[in-house]
């Protein structure tokens, strides 16, 4: 994976160099101080307002060009992480041209100024043999007298300015960081950064090997080999680290992860359309948690994508007009519909979030949360990696639960939209709801009684159950939903029979004695004998009957309207 990524990233990097990273780089919240060449101070604040980064002077005036300067200085002055601090975890910068610390550590940072700058004079603090090999490469720079004088001069300037900076930070109630920079050529920042990175770019210098004047080591990017992770070691070799990488490649890999950290979470093809990269941010560093090579391009997938025609089977209406049928022609359109109609908009949003961060909410019920945990990786495989194995199995196994979940959370319209989509995705015979309802009316009008087929029974049972629940006078919506849930949980036809009988007993006082359809429906249903377990298809048939326009309710409305007209 590492060399696959590097090969592609290096081509991107060659075009823009560090601007590839700096173009998306953000400054952390805090006070930003520029110590000018004449030793005067310019102070600015970076803060987050409504999730947007805002950089202003202390009078609130924005200055993008100055902000860009600070971004560059900051990038070349920041440590990799606290474990890679230069000498102290509370001092967050890595050169003598800057000084970073959290505002709550101001007094501590003041005491450490001399020690920090002394370390940077010649890096003599680093005694390890392998560290010395690295430092030896920079001896010409480190022994330069002008550099030494500049370090001592800047150390003194910083100490003389420190109290003033802290006082401003307190007055302005600055939060988080204080970052102090000396006005210097960017090239000088880069050269000082090279010394630090050469020392700290690898996981641990003890693994370093020098071969033909090239230093090899264990990459620090996406790798955490330590005493707590012995399983990463290769026990069959004298050198037990998993793999080694050149220092040049390690530096490029660091830049890649710096870039990756800044990419949006919902974009997994930012590097190359053939690379699926799922990242996770930990301690402000990017980690690749999943990587796949995808041989097929998105354009090729869409060319071969078999369109899905979604018919408005349940005859849904919006603003008293039937909703039009629609066709899903591309994979991304199907992904949007699945996300909206099945997952209530919670699938794509939670693709790459840790399970612990996916909380139950008004949009994500406990049941839907459980389904999401189980199914989201299959959805990622299909929509992001174009691997359709398992997709239709998920639709078959959980499609009905998506529908019921909407209904139980008072999203009846969305439940019906979901059912339309589920039926469109299922292979097999398609329902003609108009014909089903007409056949039901004809059967109820017919004076003769006949035995019901299983399909007829399930559709009629759904219609009858919905009608009985519509007779409920319960002011508490939850009570009516609880009654409906009994039907949705039924696994056997006999259970549906039992619930229908109970509900008829509860609401029979609401049914008119001259309601011939109701009497016939009740008789037909009671006469049906079957104790078989309901298949997924049979559950859907009951649900379609339950959710379709209700024949009994429409007839009652017509009768009531007729009576009202006669009484006028």
């Amino acid at each position: 994976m590492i060399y696959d990524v590097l090969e592609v990233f290096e081509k991107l990097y060659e075009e823009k160099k560090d601007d590839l990273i700096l173009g998306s780089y953000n400054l952390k919240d805090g006070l930003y101080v520029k110590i000018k060449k004449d030793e005067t101070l310019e102070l600015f604040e970076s803060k987050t307002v409504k999730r947007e980064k805002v950089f202003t002077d202390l009078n609130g005036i924005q200055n993008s060009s100055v902000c860009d300067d600070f971004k560059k200085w900051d990038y070349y002055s920041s440590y990799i992480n606290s474990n890679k601090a230069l000498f102290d975890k509370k001092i967050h910068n890595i050169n003598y041209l800057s000084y970073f610390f959290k505002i709550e550590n101001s007094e501590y940072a003041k005491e450490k100024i001399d020690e920090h700058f002394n370390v940077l004079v010649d890096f003599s603090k680093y005694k390890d043999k392998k560290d010395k090999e690295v430092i030896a490469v920079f001896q010409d720079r480190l022994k330069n007298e002008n550099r030494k004088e500049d370090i001592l001069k800047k150390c003194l300037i910083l100490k003389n300015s420190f109290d003033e900076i802290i006082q401003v930070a307190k007055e302005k109630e600055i939060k988080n960081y204080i970052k102090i920079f000396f006005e210097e050529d960017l090239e000088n920042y880069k050269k000082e950064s090279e010394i630090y990175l050469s020392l700290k770019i690898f996981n641990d210098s003890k693994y370093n090997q020098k071969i033909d004047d090239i230093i090899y080591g264990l990459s620090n990017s996406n790798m955490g080999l330590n005493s707590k992770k012995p399983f990463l070691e290769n026990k069959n070799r004298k050198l037990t680290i998993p793999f080694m990488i050149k220092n040049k490649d390690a530096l490029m890999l660091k830049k890649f992860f710096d870039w990756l950290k800044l990419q949006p979470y919902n974009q997994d093809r930012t590097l190359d359309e053939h690379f699926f990269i799922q990242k996770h941010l930990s301690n402000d560093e990017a980690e690749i948690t999943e990587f796949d090579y995808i041989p097929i391009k998105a354009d090729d997938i869409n060319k071969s994508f078999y369109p899905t025609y979604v018919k408005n089977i349940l005859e849904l209406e919006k603003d008293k007009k039937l909703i039009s049928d629609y066709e899903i022609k591309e994979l991304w359109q199907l992904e949007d519909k699945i996300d909206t109609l099945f997952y209530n908009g919670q699938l794509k949003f939670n693709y790459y979030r840790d399970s612990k961060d996916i909380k139950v909410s008004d949009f994500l019920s406990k049941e839907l949360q459980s389904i999401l945990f189980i199914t989201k990786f299959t959805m990622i495989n299909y929509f992001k990696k174009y691997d359709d194995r398992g997709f239709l199995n998920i639709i078959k196994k959980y499609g009905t639960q998506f529908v019921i979940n909407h209904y139980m959370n008072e999203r009846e319209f969305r439940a019906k939209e979901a059912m339309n989509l589920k039926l469109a995705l299922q292979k097999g015979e398609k329902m003609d709801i108009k014909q089903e309802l007409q056949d039901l009316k004809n059967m109820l009008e017919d004076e003769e009684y006949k035995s019901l087929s299983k399909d007829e029974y399930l559709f009629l049972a759904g219609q009858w159950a919905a009608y009985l629940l519509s007779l409920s006078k319960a002011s508490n919506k939850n009570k009516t939903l609880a009654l409906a849930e009994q039907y949705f949980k039924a696994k056997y036809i006999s259970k549906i029979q039992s619930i229908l009988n109970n509900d008829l007993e509860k609401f029979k006082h609401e049914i008119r004695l001259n309601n011939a359809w109701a009497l016939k429906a009740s008789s037909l249903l009671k006469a049906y004998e079957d104790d078989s377990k309901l298949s997924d298809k049979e559950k859907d048939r009951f649900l379609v009957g339950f959710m379709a326009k209700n024949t009994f309710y429409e007839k009652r409305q017509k009768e009531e309207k007729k009576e009202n007209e006669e009484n006028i």
Side-chain angles (χ1 to χ4, degrees), residues 299-354:
D299 288 344
D300 294 334
I301 283 291
N302 285 324
K303 286 175 185 176
S304 62
F305 181 78
Y306 189 79
T308 299
Y309 189 78
V310 182
K311 187 174 176 60
N312 184 9
I313 291 174
L314 293 174
E315 298 187 307
L316 292 177
E317 292 183 357
K318 200 167 189 177
D319 299 326
K320 297 183 178 180
K321 291 182 180 179
L322 275 176
I323 291 176
S324 300
D325 301 341
Y326 61 91
E327 190 172 28
I328 299 172
K329 297 180 179 180
E330 296 189 6
L331 187 63
W332 69 267
Q333 294 174 322
L334 177 59
E335 181 185 24
D336 277 353
K337 286 296 182 183
I338 291 287
D339 180 31
T340 304
L341 300 186
F342 285 177
Y343 291 90
N344 200 37
Q346 298 301 298
L347 176 62
K348 293 194 290 184
F349 177 70
N350 288 303
Y351 266 157
Y352 309 127
R353 298 180 76 203
D354 287 340

Side-chain angles (χ1 to χ4, degrees), residues 457-458 461-462 464-465 468 482-504 506 525 528-534 539 542:
Y457 170 83
L458 291 167
W464 186 236
L468 291 176
L483 292 173
E485 188 176 23
Q486 298 178 84
Y487 291 105
F488 301 152
K489 286 184 174 181
K491 294 181 179 180
Y492 293 88
I493 288 179
S494 59
K495 182 63 176 176
I496 291 179
Q497 284 278 46
S498 174
I499 301 169
L500 286 173
N501 291 336
N502 289 339
D503 283 350
L504 178 59
K506 287 178 190 174
L525 291 168
Y528 186 79
E529 294 182 358
D530 189 342
D531 194 24
S532 61
K533 188 173 183 178
L534 291 164
K539 288 180 182 177
F542 173 84

Side-chain angles (χ1 to χ4, degrees), residues 48-66:
T48 305
V49 180
K50 294 181 179 179
R51 297 187 179 182
E52 294 290 329
K53 284 290 183 181
V54 178
F55 185 86
T56 67
D57 63 21
L58 297 187
N59 293 317
I61 300 172
Q62 296 191 32
N63 191 322
S64 58
S65 62
V66 173

Side-chain angles (χ1 to χ4, degrees), residues 18 93 142 193 234 238 344 391 469:
D18 286 339
N93 65 301
L142 297 178
S193 173
N234 190 331
K238 183 178 179 181
N344 200 37
F391 173 72
L469 294 184

